Amino acid sequence: MEKLKETGLKLTPQRIAILRYLDGNTGHPSAEDIYKAVSKKFPTMSFATVYNTLETLRQRGTLLELTIDPGRKRFDPNTEPHHHLICLRCKRIVDIHNAYALKVPDEMRGDIEITGNHIEFYGICQKCRSSKD
Ligand code: ZN
Ligand code: MN
């Protein structure tokens, strides 16, 4: 929450509710998930308010936008370097905190100095593997 307060956003009650929902949230929610959760408390809040707040946080670097789910953008308040694993059926995303020693050959890297990486792992979770459809 402190980190999010430092973004200099004007803290309206709606925005505070969005920030609270995101704080420590490891579920990688979509904008729709966030809207559903927060509009329970603020029924008059529009989806545009949620979307614009997420976009502002993303631009300020305090929220990551993940593209691992092909169906919809997902958001992650944890901006520390880590990787992700998605269940392709239920779209659950889990964090992978592990350092992989990946080397990019110099001839491919060219003159770009590498500062990080993000690996997307794909799979099917236990629950989805055992459900028949
Ligand atoms: Zn699953
Ligand atoms: Mn994450």
Side-chain angles (χ1 to χ4, degrees):
M1 196 67 192
E2 284 310 310
K3 191 185 77 173
L4 293 168
K5 270 181 194 160
E6 286 163 18
T7 57
L9 271 185
K10 241 201 212 166
L11 290 178
T12 63
Q14 282 107 321
R15 277 180 168 172
I16 290 170
I18 295 168
L19 296 177
R20 284 227 173 98
Y21 179 76
L22 287 171
D23 191 32
N25 188 323
T26 57
H28 308 93
S30 66
E32 291 81 3
D33 295 330
I34 297 163
Y35 174 67
K36 256 185 228 161
V38 178
S39 61
K40 276 180 197 152
K41 206 174 163 197
F42 294 93
T44 59
M45 188 171 56
S46 70
F47 181 73
T49 299
V50 171
Y51 196 85
N52 293 337
T53 302
L54 297 176
E55 184 55 22
T56 304
L57 293 171
R58 189 191 65 75
Q59 281 169 8
R60 289 170 196 222
T62 56
L63 188 65
L64 294 180
E65 185 183 287
L66 305 181
T67 54
I68 189 170
D69 179 350
R72 51 196 190 152
K73 284 191 235 172
R74 306 277 290 264
F75 294 91
D76 192 345
N78 179 5
T79 57
E80 296 299 314
H82 64 285
H83 310 290
H84 292 100
L85 164 62
I86 188 169
C87 170
L88 289 170
R89 289 205 194 138
C90 68
K91 313 298 184 197
R92 180 160 59 94
I93 297 173
V94 298
D95 290 330
I96 304 293
H97 290 281
N98 191 41
Y100 296 94
L102 296 171
K103 288 266 182 289
V104 177
D106 285 348
E107 64 271 24
M108 294 180 187
R109 177 175 68 80
D111 64 349
I112 300 172
E113 187 187 339
I114 293 173
T115 57
N117 60 47
H118 174 227
I119 307 170
E120 297 182 344
F121 294 93
Y122 308 93
I124 308 288
C125 77
Q126 167 82 62
K127 206 176 154 192
C128 291
R129 280 199 312 273
S130 57
S131 75
K132 293 173 184 142
D133 48 56

